[in-house]
Amino acid sequence: MEELRKTYNPKEVEGKIYKLWEKSGFFNPDKLPKRHKKPFSMVLPPPNVTGTLHMGHALTVTIEDIIIRYQRMLGRKTLWIPGTDHASIATETKFLKESGVRKSDYGEKRQEFIDLVNDFALKNKDAILKQLRSLGASLDWSRLAFTLDKKRINAVEEAFIKMHPKKGEGIIYIGLGKVVNWDVKNQTAVDDQEVEYEVCKDKLYTFRYSKDFPISISTTRPETKVGDTAVAVNPRDKRYRQYIGKKYENIKFVGVNLSIEIIGDPSIDMQFGTGAVGITPYHSKVDEEIADRHGLRKIQVINGVDRMNHNAGILEGLKVDEAKERVVEWLRSNELLEKEPEEIEHNKPKSQRSGGKIEYLPHRNQFFVSVSKPIPERKTKTLKELLSDAVKSGKIKIFPKRFEKVYLNWVKNLRDWSISRQIWYGHRFPVWYVPPAPTGDDLDYIVSRTKPGQGYEQFKDTLDTWFSSGLWTFSTLGWPGKTKDLKKYHPTYVLETGYDIIFFWVARMILMSQFLLGEIPFKTVYLHGLVRDEQRRKMSKSLGNVIDPLDMTAKYGTDALRFALIFNTAPGADSTISEEKIKGMRNFANKVWNATRFVLQNTKSKTQNPKYKTSSKDKTNLQKLKKLVKEITRDLESFRFHRAAERLYHFFWHYYADKVIEDYKKGLVSKALLFKFHETLIKLLHPFMPFITEEIYQKLPIKNKKTCLMVENWPK
RNA sequence: GGGCGACUAGCUCAGCGAUUAGAGCGUCCGCCUUACACGCGGAAGGCCUCAGGUUUGAAUCCUGAGUCGCCCACCA
């Protein structure tokens, strides 16, 4: 037998071992040995093709690979599906930023532009797939998927049509003039979830529209006031009660004729400002809701390119910021300002993706998924109800449990999902119209996979990227086809992902699966936290504190990185990673390696004829080992991966190495026991440190050895 | 405004009802003891944020306070 080197060298092991696994075919459940019967399935959260993998991905892969390897060893028919996400808006934004390409140069050459983004995406995709392999992920590559490949495009179209068979039907509708969050920088609408709020100091202006207007109002956005159609007060407010119902016509405000109705609405806070709010229905979501409640007129005064439009009178053509100054000047010179502007803290909306300004404005042909329309095929329940039922009923369990509350609270406040994006890279709508472009009030369109006839053009917009990821658990299994995979592996068993995408992704998968299949997409959701640096900061390029997982695996080995990631990492809690921690785990890997050397050196010579009698210590040692197996198994069953890892680390080093091996040297324990310990520990460690344990397994003289440790029986 | 989490060794964190409270990294002393210096032996270091309560027993459960952080809603 060859001598093991003194220190473990992951470089000469990992590539070789991964090939061995791939060659075995055991990543694919169809090729697993007979004993693997009961299916166990999971999808990998498809990484965005915006770049390469970071520590967060590495943690995801580590946890999921631990789960799948454990289940495989238990004897389940394990399927873990790999894939990547086209991430339409994120990828397009990133591409524009990195390439310097200007979209405006491609006005009529949409396909050319898409090809460029595609190239960019493909390059990243290849890198990602390589990285996944190098992290040791035992994914079934034969089922590799991409959210924008042919099969998934088919699934998306099918889903859309099921949700919206034709104009006026289903749960998708076009929001004619519904206010959207408009990302001025990216020139697209985005969903509520993609809007972030930044606290900043702003000026609150208090004024009247005109000298004879009875009520003064406060606002941080005076320029929008040319679009006001009402002033709302609280009906209980004694100061204003007598005005409710009155109408003031022909108010001259910055050269615009305003017509303002005084309305009473209980949502108005009497304490804030003057207790009266100027209602701007087309440039505020809250105002829009109030306007709908009271049947108010709506006037758009700001356009999509950050300028005032033709309804803004003398402000027309001005940039929004300029218009603001102009209005303030006008108010001053007309002595309408009640007092000097106050500095207040204000939450300013901005786009999570582009970092640019969000302007609320009406959009003519924006598609929405209604979350509150009763669905006949689902016992007239609404999506909202389906979403909350899935978790409330206990069909889906979220772990850690506290996230169930977070989820349910979110569902409670959920508004319709805005799914149209004015982005080019992504899924097209199976929706057609006859040009000129649909800007009319009554838009005519046809829902169809293919061109419905002469003169039709397809909708220019693309779908929110989460629309396709929402289908992931079943689109990867062949849906809408009635495939064997779908029957066997859906619902999936565990959905493991970061808590930061519980709404974006987890909720959307539940939504899609409930609507389209009438079943849950997974039984358990396991959420992990953010991976931070040693000082608990988020890793970011601008901070320069990014630790690249591949650098670390190259330096210390994949097993060391994986162990460091899971060590001391509680479920749902943010964790930290540092080079020092990884180094420590590299040392552990080396400890495992050298214990193996010791065992091999002591077994190779006279293994045939072991004369070791069971010693007094053997019995207690065996009990200890048995207890450990029980604990590790329990930890894994209850998703306490960190505890299992910590236990294993401690047991291996401070019990097995420090006590058992030392006792063996003194002749206090038998060789059989030593070997039993080693074999068992290697198996228990395998899900966590797959490479080194597999390498060791291949070298150990074990009876009835299998092709690889990966399919060995989990110790009992 | 609503909700959630954290506060444990110098640092980062496990532990969440019961024997002298743990790990990684760091610190100090001594060792190349033929598996391992990516190591071995030893040591220092903790009123487990504070105040009440429940309990035979609390870092662990309950109540309250303080500090920090996160999420959701968005306030004109």
Side-chain angles (χ1 to χ4, degrees):
Chain A
M1 186 176 300
E2 73 201 282
E3 265 298 322
L4 259 56
R5 40 187 313 157
K6 211 169 164 185
T7 48
Y8 171 61
N9 182 3
K11 269 192 194 142
E12 58 190 37
V13 169
E14 295 183 359
K16 183 183 80 188
I17 293 293
Y18 200 85
K19 266 192 204 122
L20 171 84
W21 290 332
E22 283 202 282
K23 217 179 119 197
S24 77
F26 296 150
F27 289 169
N28 182 342
D30 305 329
K31 295 186 177 163
L32 278 169
K34 277 206 187 100
R35 82 168 171 117
H36 301 263
K37 288 200 184 74
K38 208 174 154 200
F40 182 94
S41 55
M42 225 169 40
V43 292
L44 174 80
N48 289 353
V49 291
T50 45
T52 50
L53 301 188
H54 53 64
M55 277 300 174
H57 294 112
L59 177 63
T60 303
V61 169
T62 299
I63 297 173
E64 290 173 23
D65 199 43
I66 289 170
I67 296 174
I68 209 83
R69 281 180 190 273
Y70 165 66
Q71 294 292 343
R72 197 181 286 119
M73 288 175 82
L74 275 183
R76 301 288 284 269
K77 203 173 176 70
T78 44
L79 171 61
W80 185 23
I81 305 177
T84 48
D85 195 318
H86 71 287
S88 78
I89 193 164
T91 306
E92 187 171 308
T93 309
K94 190 95 183 280
F95 166 75
L96 287 168
K97 203 173 158 192
E98 287 188 5
S99 65
V101 165
R102 281 171 44 202
K103 208 172 165 183
S104 51
D105 294 341
Y106 288 81
E108 294 303 310
K109 298 178 286 184
R110 176 170 173 146
Q111 194 51 48
E112 258 178 61
F113 178 83
I114 288 174
D115 289 344
L116 286 177
V117 183
N118 243 325
D119 290 346
F120 171 77
L122 239 102
K123 221 174 66 198
N124 291 329
K125 199 166 115 183
D126 287 349
I128 288 168
L129 299 182
K130 241 180 234 158
Q131 282 182 302
L132 289 172
R133 286 185 159 88
S134 95
L135 285 167
S138 53
L139 289 154
D140 179 8
W141 297 107
S142 73
R143 286 173 168 88
L144 178 65
F146 178 50
T147 54
L148 198 54
D149 61 20
K150 266 216 177 96
K151 286 182 180 167
R152 263 45 69 171
I153 288 172
N154 181 42
V156 163
E157 287 177 354
E158 179 76 14
F160 187 92
I161 292 168
K162 281 241 159 71
M163 295 165 94
H164 191 41
K166 62 191 281 195
K167 194 184 161 191
E169 287 182 13
I171 54 166
I172 289 179
Y173 65 95
I174 207 153
L176 273 173
K178 198 169 150 78
V179 172
V180 298
N181 314 297
W182 184 255
D183 179 336
V184 175
K185 198 167 166 189
N186 270 352
Q187 287 292 297
T188 178
V190 294
D191 191 52
D192 292 348
Q193 279 195 65
E194 295 161 281
V195 180
E196 282 179 346
Y197 295 88
E198 191 181 34
V199 184
C200 61
K201 289 240 181 326
D202 220 337
K203 280 184 180 143
L204 184 70
Y205 300 90
T206 303
F207 59 90
R208 286 166 203 259
Y209 298 110
S210 72
K211 281 260 156 57
D212 5 304
F213 195 77
I215 301 173
S216 59
I217 56 166
S218 295
T219 184
T220 53
R221 300 283 311 268
E223 73 280 10
T224 64
K225 297 290 107 182
V226 290
D228 282 10
T229 56
V231 164
V233 297
N234 194 303
R236 290 191 328 215
D237 197 326
K238 286 181 185 136
R239 294 171 293 178
Y240 305 123
R241 216 159 31 189
Q242 71 268 29
Y243 299 111
I244 294 174
K246 290 198 171 148
K247 256 189 167 173
Y248 296 81
E249 308 278 354
N250 274 324
I251 304 166
K252 300 272 184 281
F253 178 70
V254 210
V256 176
N257 273 341
L258 289 186
S259 165
I260 303 286
E261 189 179 337
I262 313 290
I263 56 170
D265 197 283
S267 71
I268 306 303
D269 180 355
M270 292 187 272
Q271 311 300 322
F272 190 91
T274 61
V277 188
I279 300 298
T280 324
Y282 263 161
H283 298 287
S284 152
K285 292 207 173 189
V286 178
D287 290 7
E288 180 189 33
E289 278 172 11
I290 294 176
D292 286 342
R293 277 203 288 273
H294 297 269
L296 301 176
R297 283 179 312 123
K298 303 175 181 180
I299 305 167
Q300 179 175 3
V301 294
I302 297 172
N303 65 23
V305 292
D306 204 30
R307 286 183 189 275
M308 306 304 291
N309 75 2
H310 59 276
N311 290 324
I314 58 163
L315 302 174
E316 182 181 355
L318 289 181
K319 279 253 194 195
V320 170
D321 283 347
E322 294 164 0
K324 183 182 205 166
E325 280 173 38
R326 184 69 69 85
V327 173
V328 173
E329 272 167 39
W330 184 88
L331 288 170
R332 270 191 214 287
S333 58
N334 287 274
E335 294 175 340
L336 289 165
L337 270 186
E338 301 271 302
K339 53 181 171 184
E340 275 310 297
E342 303 163 69
E343 285 259 316
I344 59 158
E345 286 219 328
H346 179 68
N347 274 342
K348 215 175 194 169
K350 67 175 200 176
S351 162
Q352 189 184 63
R353 203 86 258 161
S354 71
K357 174 178 174 184
I358 290 289
E359 195 69 73
Y360 301 109
L361 39 91
H363 202 276
R364 291 217 171 270
N365 44 33
Q366 198 75 12
F367 280 102
F368 290 85
V369 175
S370 169
V371 293
S372 44
K373 188 174 171 186
I375 303 160
E377 304 82 43
R378 297 284 172 264
K379 299 178 180 164
T380 69
K381 288 199 169 165
T382 65
L383 284 181
K384 255 177 124 144
E385 288 164 339
L386 290 172
L387 278 166
S388 68
D389 284 0
V391 171
K392 266 190 194 156
S393 67
K395 275 192 198 155
I396 297 178
K397 292 204 164 52
I398 305 182
F399 189 85
K401 206 169 161 46
R402 65 187 146 92
F403 285 105
E404 288 189 356
K405 222 171 155 182
V406 176
Y407 169 88
L408 289 171
N409 183 52
W410 178 80
V411 171
K412 210 171 102 195
N413 296 317
L414 189 60
R415 286 200 257 197
D416 290 355
W417 175 14
S418 162
I419 52 171
S420 296
R421 298 290 179 277
Q422 287 66 44
I423 291 285
W424 285 352
Y425 182 65
H427 287 276
R428 297 290 292 268
F429 284 78
V431 175
W432 306 75
Y433 66 98
V434 180
T439 51
D441 279 339
D442 187 27
L443 174 62
D444 238 347
Y445 62 87
I446 289 177
V447 178
S448 163
R449 282 174 189 273
T450 51
K451 194 170 180 166
Q454 273 296 316
Y456 277 93
E457 267 182 29
Q458 192 168 11
F459 249 60
K460 298 270 184 284
D461 293 350
T462 52
L463 278 153
D464 178 10
T465 186
W466 298 103
F467 191 94
S468 56
S469 357
L471 312 172
W472 198 239
T473 58
F474 48 94
S475 71
T476 51
L477 291 170
W479 187 88
K482 289 192 172 75
T483 61
K484 276 185 191 164
D485 269 7
L486 192 62
K487 209 176 154 202
K488 196 179 249 171
Y489 298 110
H490 205 272
T492 59
Y493 282 74
V494 188
L495 188 274
E496 195 284 336
T497 192
Y499 66 70
D500 52 331
I501 54 173
I502 179 167
F503 309 135
F504 279 122
W505 193 44
V506 179
R508 261 73 180 268
M509 283 193 285
I510 299 174
L511 184 157
M512 289 295 199
S513 188
Q514 289 280 21
F515 180 80
L516 294 164
L517 305 186
E519 70 179 20
I520 52 170
F522 30 71
K523 295 169 181 163
T524 309
V525 178
Y526 174 95
L527 297 166
H528 65 252
L530 256 49
V531 183
R532 298 167 176 274
D533 79 353
E534 231 174 345
Q535 290 144 52
R536 308 223 66 220
R537 298 175 305 177
K538 274 190 185 179
M539 291 196 200
S540 74
K541 276 190 184 155
S542 52
L543 273 173
N545 61 344
V546 174
I547 306 176
D548 185 340
L550 280 206
D551 287 352
M552 293 299 109
T553 54
K555 225 165 155 180
Y556 303 108
T558 301
D559 294 323
L561 174 67
R562 289 171 58 130
F563 217 79
L565 279 168
I566 199 64
F567 205 87
N568 250 334
T569 299
D574 292 354
S575 61
T576 53
I577 193 81
S578 64
E579 190 159 345
E580 288 310 309
K581 191 174 176 187
I582 300 165
K583 214 189 233 172
M585 297 308 149
R586 186 269 320 260
N587 296 350
F588 176 57
N590 199 51
K591 188 76 185 176
V592 173
W593 184 253
N594 273 289
T596 307
R597 279 183 80 205
F598 181 82
V599 169
L600 285 177
Q601 280 167 16
N602 282 275
T603 45
K604 65 183 171 186
S605 47
K606 293 161 195 158
T607 9
Q608 321 310 23
N609 187 19
K611 284 183 190 160
Y612 300 88
K613 288 173 191 160
T614 318
S615 79
S616 60
K617 282 216 166 181
D618 280 11
K619 215 176 154 188
T620 49
N621 277 328
L622 272 177
Q623 278 170 353
K624 283 243 181 193
L625 187 66
K626 225 173 177 169
K627 191 173 160 236
L628 177 79
V629 170
K630 251 193 175 155
E631 286 169 344
I632 300 296
T633 306
R634 201 187 51 213
D635 289 342
L636 288 173
E637 289 292 338
S638 57
F639 300 107
R640 320 261 179 194
F641 310 110
H642 63 304
R643 274 170 80 171
E646 285 149 26
R647 237 190 266 279
L648 278 167
Y649 181 101
H650 197 256
F651 191 92
F652 196 101
W653 201 314
H654 300 299
Y655 191 75
Y656 172 53
D658 289 354
K659 305 254 160 48
V660 178
I661 291 184
E662 292 308 314
D663 282 349
Y664 173 82
K665 284 180 185 170
K666 291 178 199 153
L668 295 174
V669 298
S670 73
K671 185 173 280 190
L673 181 103
L674 181 75
F675 202 80
K676 169 92 180 162
F677 256 71
H678 205 75
E679 192 185 328
T680 307
L681 286 172
I682 291 304
K683 286 179 186 169
L684 293 177
L685 272 169
H686 182 253
F688 302 85
M689 306 186 119
F691 288 110
I692 190 172
T693 50
E694 184 70 71
E695 171 74 0
I696 290 168
Y697 180 81
Q698 297 296 330
K699 293 191 187 313
L700 284 180
I702 294 174
K703 275 187 207 156
N704 306 322
K705 211 166 28 168
K706 314 227 176 196
T707 331
C708 49
L709 174 55
M710 188 168 71
V711 290
E712 256 292 357
N713 298 338
W714 185 252
K716 267 190 231 155

